[in-house]
Amino acid sequence: MTKFSRSIVGVMLAGLVTAVVAEADGPDYFAVTGVAADDVLNVRAGPSARSQKTGEIPHDGRRVRNLGCQGAPSFAEWERMTESERKDSAKHHWCRISYEGTEGWVAGRYLREDSGP
């Protein structure tokens, strides 16, 4: 195999690994859950409740695009946690999203999987 062929195969494998990792990062879209009918889900500049608010999503928002989440334990870690530890870890789970032209971070505990457009 030539050096050029090895390079092409390497690029193809890297693309395959990226696709698999992206698919494993969670759903493509979310719906808002657990937000009162008279409230909104705040969109923040960073993954923290202290970050500046940059937008909001209605309590019944759907098709919120997932751009990646952080702070959630793996399934194996979650299995080893007590109920108290699980509730505490939910406070640290944030997802970067896109919704109707607004991009930012929202608390992951207010999201559930949704279907795409």
Side-chain angles (χ1 to χ4, degrees):
M1 186 181 291
T2 69
K3 187 175 182 178
F4 178 75
S5 297
R6 284 193 302 270
S7 296
I8 295 298
V9 170
V11 169
M12 290 172 58
L13 286 174
L16 179 61
V17 168
T18 300
V20 169
V21 169
E23 199 171 293
D25 284 342
D28 291 335
Y29 293 91
F30 293 117
V32 176
T33 187
V35 175
D38 63 346
D39 205 355
V40 295
L41 177 59
N42 292 325
V43 179
R44 306 253 177 213
S48 167
R50 291 185 219 122
S51 292
Q52 178 183 358
K53 180 179 170 181
T54 59
E56 54 191 38
I57 304 172
H59 75 282
D60 59 351
R62 304 248 350 247
R63 294 174 185 82
V64 178
R65 182 137 181 101
N66 178 6
L67 302 178
C69 297
Q70 68 178 40
S74 69
F75 183 69
E77 292 168 332
W78 183 85
E79 279 188 312
R80 291 190 300 270
M81 292 178 166
T82 65
E83 191 60 34
S84 174
E85 289 171 329
R86 290 175 184 169
K87 286 180 182 179
D88 187 52
S89 78
K91 297 174 187 172
H92 305 290
H93 178 202
W94 287 83
C95 295
R96 189 164 170 265
I97 58 86
S98 175
Y99 179 77
E100 295 186 355
T102 298
E103 284 191 22
W105 292 86
V106 297
R109 67 182 172 271
Y110 297 111
L111 301 173
R112 66 173 172 78
E113 186 170 357
D114 195 16
S115 59

